[in-house]
Every structure is written in C-alpha cells, then in structure tokens.
Amino acid sequence: MTTTTLAAETVGNPAANIGIFSLFVVVTMIVVIKASKRNATADEFFTGGRGFSGPQNGIAIAGDYLSAASFLGIAGAIAVYGYDGFLYSIGFLVAWLVALLLVAELLRNTGKFTMADVLSFRLKQRPVRLAAAISTLTVSLFYLLAQMAGAGGLVALLLDVNSRAGQSIVIAVVGILMIVYVLVGGMKGTTWVQIIKAVLLIAGAALMTVMVLSKFGLNFSEILGSAQSAISEATPKGVSGRDVLAPGAQYGGSLTSQINFISLALALVLGTAGLPHVLMRFYTVPTAKEARRSVVWAIALIGAFYLFTLVLGYGAAALVGPDRILGAAGGVNSAAPLLAFELGGVILLGVISAVAFATILAVVAGLTITASASFAHDIYASVLKSHKVTEDEQVRVSRITAVVLGVFAIGLGILANGQNVAFLVALAFAVAAAANLPTILYSLYWRRFNTRGALWSMYGGLISTIVLIVFSPAVSGSKTAMIPGADFDFFPLANPGIVSIPLAFALGIIGTLTSPDTGDAELNAEMEVRSLTGVGAEKAVAH
C-alpha cells in the first residue's frame, strides 16, 4: 500500500468528521448561551463571578493547557523519537508543581482579574501594568498564532482539504467561532467549553489507550518491544536503527543539541507558571483553598493524559509504523489520527478529529478572553483612564479587543499556514518564563523588589527572548526554519530559555538594587498578609 493511498484512506469520511465537529460546536454554543445569562459585570465577564469550584476549575485548566500540540505533537514525537518525545510530557507536567507550590494560592489571594494586578499591587501602577499587559498580549498572540496555523495543518489530514484557500477558510471559521464564544459567553462560557473539551480529550485518549493495551494483552512491555522492532525496520529520514527506548534519538549527539534540550526544558518547566491564560484561571474560584484544589485536580488529569500519550505514541509506532506516520499528510502530527483509524476506523477517527478541533477552539477562546481582559483592565482602565471607568465600559472594551485580536489572529494564522510553527509555542513559553515568572516571584516573595526591578526584568526578558529567537535556527538557516531561504542564525540554540530566563532574574535583582526606591512599607506588609491569608482579597486593587 502506498503512502498516498494511505493518506487518502486515513481521512476516512470527511463528511463524518465535519458532522461530529459540528455537533460539538452546536452543543457547546448552547452551553455558552445558557452560561452567558449573567454576564453584566466585569467580575462575571472576566472571572465567571468566581463561581467555579476547585474540581471544575481544575478540569477547565486541563482543557486550557492540553492544546492540540499536546495531543497530536507529543504522541507523534514519541512514535518517531521514543524516549526523547516523552520528555515533552515530563516537562509540561513538572511545570505544574512550580505553579502549585510557588504561585497558585498567593496569586489568587493578591490579584483580582489579571496578572498585572499582582505585579502592580505595591509598585507604580502605570508603567508596571503597561509592561505586564504588553507581555500578556505578546505571549497570547504567539500562542494564538501557533494554534490557528496548526488548525490549517490539521485540516489537510482530517478533512481532506489540501488547497491553501480551503485551509484558510477553516482557519477563519475557527477564528470566528472563537470570537463568538468569547463575546457571548465571557469567562463562564469559555470555562464550560474548556471543561467539555477536557472531558472529551481525556476520555478519547483513555479509550484509545485501553484499545492499544488490549491489542497487546494489557502488556506495556509488548508494546515497547513491537515499537522498537517497527522503528528498527523503518526507512525514511534516517529513522531506522535507533533505540527509541533510550535517550538521545532527538536531542543526543552534539553538545549544542544537548544544551538546546536543557534550554527547552527550562522554558517548559518555568513557563507554565507565567502563562497569563493559565494564571487568570486562578481568579475564577472563590477562595485560595479552591485555587489550590484546582491545581491538584489539573495535575492529576494532565498527568493521566501524558501517561496516555506514552501508550499512544509507542502504540502508534508499533501498529502504524514511522514510515506511514512520516509519509502521511500531517507528518509527525498524524500519529494519533492514524492510530485512531487503525483501532476504530472512520467512527473513531471522526471522534478524534472533532476532539482535535475542539481542543484548538477551547485553547484559542481561553487565550482571547485573557488577552482582551488584560487590554481592557490593565491598559484601558488603569493606564489610559486611571481607573475612572464603569464596569460596563471595561466589558465593552474587552469585547471590542476580542474581535480585533480574533481578526488579527485569523490573518496571521493564514499567513503562517504551512510554515514551521513549533517554535511559536516554545517562544510563548520562553517569553512567559523570562518576562513574567521572575517578576511574579520577586513581587510575591521579595519585600525590597521595586518598580525599576520589575520593568528591567519584564522588558529585559521579553526583548532578549524575542531577539534571540529571531537570530536562532528556528527562524533561518535550515530547510525547516520559518524563513528557509535566509541565513542569519547567529544564536545557535532554537530555544533561548537558558540565556533569557537567568538574564531576566538577574535584571530584576540589578534593577532593584540600583534604585533608591525601597517601596511603601505599609503596602509591602499588606501584600504579604493578603498573599498568605487571603484577607482583603475581594477588595479592588487600585493604589
């Protein structure tokens, strides 16, 4: 059987895939409309009225965090690279321990709507809020761009739409649906979309995991042995002969490659606790205790899901084979859909297709509500209007921002369709880790920390990360680069985390210690008490 025949066969029935996906859209739209009946105040629109329980928010966090890259990308990476592919899962999961132990509870106690509420609590409002909002919008935009462009790539495999015009239409449809979810449902509607999507994604992955295990008599060692044999016999792109049960298939070899892996791991582990759309979820629960419970639930669900990817990845290698995966329309990303088709034919492929699109929709909706809330609350209400705005005005500006951001994301997604967008996700994590996390930790744990330290850390982390990425092999200098024809890759690493993250931490210290500003002792004490106890957490943060 040729690869071309396989790719056409794998699509199964595009009409069935579209039908199942349309059913998901209809059901979630009904839920969003019902959830939106009380969405008048800023508190209800931005945080769902803080009415979600810890378990509900934990499921929503899992829905927000488990993007299409997690489902399709990691399963594919394990199928082709084995052990090195699973390292992504480990990095993403360990990152939640950082969020749970260092950030979740204190952030919930100190803030109100956005990350900037915490950072500006005892510092100068305008410059710090502006810096935090710029960082939030940058991270959200790169994450949005990756998801939207990824939607175009998935279409080729799942719906048999191979023309660029057809894929552009699908990207536009995803963008329009995202805008509608946010405009109609706000944080409440978005949260319920994420809960439904998380349940579907984890249930689908669990079902496929059970089906794979049953094929091998519930013996995981048999799966590993079969995967090793399949990859040993594979021929394309130098895959054959590798030991996928040992490290080094993707990040072994040269010292640069090994340093690149450490750099990527730093960004993944530290970036999660600085992702604005994840941090904003802590404000949708009524108490710090519920915030803590929600992270525990998220860790359990995300951990289970990443264990499923281990079985799915090696299962795809064993049952489908690297030849067929790399030869299919979606390349490495096609491992999970190919496995679904192998296990359950057109029906299971249709369900997995719908889950993959639902995943993109839920993630982009979460990113959009976060970015629009940050602009409305931090830039418009705080910087431009000095808090002299009504709640209705904030919500209206947020909705306008969501439309503008959605249109912008659609345009960029269409332009980036077919390009290498993997580095965009890594860039979002690297920016979050460098520009956001040092300032968050210093604000919560260091009394001496001041405005200069915050600005140097945020802008230094943001600028250094973007500059290093622009001059890295991810953008130019290779066939897989964003601009394959150019060659200005002066920085040898594809991910700048190993340089930009320590630099941002250092700039925060240097900026603080070189400034005579020692802060307001009363505000410092209030923030410490509030962060540790939650007393006064419901008060508006405007000093």
Side-chain angles (χ1 to χ4, degrees):
M1 186 183 291
T2 66
T3 303
T4 308
T5 309
L6 173 74
E9 218 180 55
T10 302
V11 171
N13 186 343
N17 294 348
I18 294 171
I20 296 171
F21 178 55
S22 300
L23 179 65
F24 169 83
V25 172
V26 170
V27 170
T28 51
M29 197 60 74
I30 292 169
V31 171
V32 165
I33 292 168
K34 283 190 173 182
S36 68
K37 287 181 179 176
R38 288 187 60 200
N39 242 348
T41 68
D43 195 40
E44 286 167 348
F45 188 79
F46 295 146
T47 66
R50 304 182 194 274
F52 291 96
S53 67
Q56 285 174 331
N57 193 44
I59 297 170
I61 287 174
D64 215 353
Y65 191 68
L66 296 172
S67 66
S70 293
F71 181 43
L72 302 174
I74 293 176
I78 294 171
V80 175
Y81 298 110
Y83 183 96
D84 281 19
F86 188 56
L87 291 171
Y88 280 92
S89 294
I90 296 170
F92 283 131
L93 182 58
V94 170
W96 277 103
L97 296 178
V98 179
L100 172 64
L101 297 175
L102 296 179
V103 171
E105 186 177 348
L106 302 181
L107 202 74
R108 167 61 188 76
N109 284 341
T110 313
K112 187 172 177 66
F113 291 149
T114 64
M115 175 184 76
D117 288 338
V118 179
L119 303 184
S120 65
F121 188 91
R122 58 190 178 89
L123 306 177
K124 290 179 182 175
Q125 283 277 312
R126 290 193 173 195
V128 172
R129 279 191 183 277
L130 185 62
I134 289 171
S135 174
T136 296
L137 290 167
T138 304
V139 174
S140 299
L141 192 62
F142 279 112
Y143 223 120
L144 264 176
L145 176 54
Q147 296 297 321
M148 300 289 275
L154 283 175
V155 174
L157 182 73
L158 301 176
L159 300 183
D160 200 21
V161 179
N162 293 308
S163 71
R164 191 170 180 88
Q167 291 179 24
S168 297
I169 290 170
V170 172
I171 290 173
V173 169
V174 170
I176 291 165
L177 284 171
M178 164 192 83
I179 293 168
V180 172
Y181 280 137
V182 173
L183 292 185
V184 174
M187 181 56 88
K188 278 184 188 173
T190 300
T191 299
W192 282 112
V193 171
Q194 288 162 344
I195 289 172
I196 294 168
K197 167 253 169 158
V199 170
L200 285 175
L201 179 62
I202 294 170
L207 174 64
M208 286 177 64
T209 298
V210 170
M211 292 174 78
V212 170
L213 286 169
S214 64
K215 287 256 185 188
F216 293 89
L218 302 181
N219 188 338
F220 186 57
S221 295
E222 287 287 326
I223 299 176
L224 295 178
S226 297
Q228 181 64 64
S229 300
I231 289 179
S232 295
E233 294 167 8
T235 53
K237 299 184 182 180
V239 170
S240 59
R242 286 201 308 230
D243 182 3
V244 293
L245 305 184
Q250 186 176 9
Y251 291 106
S254 70
L255 180 62
T256 301
S257 178
Q258 293 168 0
I259 294 173
N260 198 47
F261 167 68
I262 295 170
S263 189
L264 176 66
L266 268 175
L268 296 183
V269 170
L270 298 179
T272 297
L275 287 175
H277 66 292
V278 170
L279 297 177
M280 195 168 172
R281 293 231 56 88
F282 297 142
Y283 301 130
T284 63
V285 291
T287 64
K289 181 183 177 184
E290 291 298 305
R292 205 163 53 243
R293 282 183 71 202
S294 66
V295 179
V296 172
W297 270 79
I299 288 174
L301 292 170
I302 293 166
F305 176 82
Y306 283 140
L307 287 177
F308 296 154
T309 62
L310 188 62
V311 176
L312 297 179
Y314 279 118
L319 296 173
V320 180
D323 275 0
R324 295 167 68 186
I325 292 168
L326 291 170
V332 171
N333 290 334
S334 66
L338 283 165
L339 179 62
F341 186 73
E342 192 78 20
L343 293 170
V346 173
I347 299 299
L348 186 58
L349 176 66
V351 171
I352 296 305
S353 303
V355 168
F357 277 108
T359 295
I360 289 173
L361 267 180
V363 173
V364 295
L367 286 164
T368 305
I369 188 78
T370 302
S372 62
S374 180
F375 180 85
H377 181 62
D378 297 324
I379 294 181
Y380 181 78
S382 302
V383 176
L384 298 179
K385 296 290 186 176
S386 301
H387 299 284
K388 294 172 184 173
V389 290
T390 62
E391 291 200 341
D392 288 348
E393 201 175 344
Q394 277 195 71
V395 171
R396 188 172 67 253
V397 170
S398 180
R399 285 185 161 132
I400 294 169
T401 306
V403 173
V404 172
L405 196 67
V407 171
F408 198 48
I410 289 169
L412 287 175
I414 290 170
L415 287 174
N417 186 24
Q419 297 284 343
N420 173 18
V421 295
F423 84 96
L424 291 171
V425 174
L427 177 56
F429 271 82
V431 171
N436 295 345
L437 186 63
T439 317
I440 290 170
L441 293 180
Y442 287 149
S443 294
L444 293 173
Y445 292 100
W446 188 17
R447 277 191 168 199
R448 174 75 169 79
F449 191 56
N450 57 32
T451 302
R452 182 189 286 180
L455 297 178
W456 282 25
S457 181
M458 279 191 281
Y459 285 127
L462 181 67
I463 294 167
S464 64
T465 303
I466 292 174
V467 168
L468 290 177
I469 277 284
V470 166
F471 293 108
S472 76
V475 174
S476 72
S478 69
K479 291 179 181 177
T480 58
M482 186 73 171
I483 311 172
D487 188 5
F488 47 84
D489 54 326
F490 305 118
F491 184 66
L493 305 178
N495 193 290
I498 200 167
V499 175
S500 62
I501 297 170
L503 176 65
F505 273 102
L507 286 172
I509 295 172
I510 295 167
T512 298
L513 297 181
T514 56
S515 170
D517 176 17
T518 56
D520 184 324
E522 191 177 328
L523 266 183
N524 289 346
E526 184 184 345
M527 181 167 180
E528 188 171 0
V529 170
R530 182 181 290 196
S531 66
L532 295 173
T533 66
V535 173
E538 299 307 317
K539 241 172 45 174
V541 270
H543 293 288

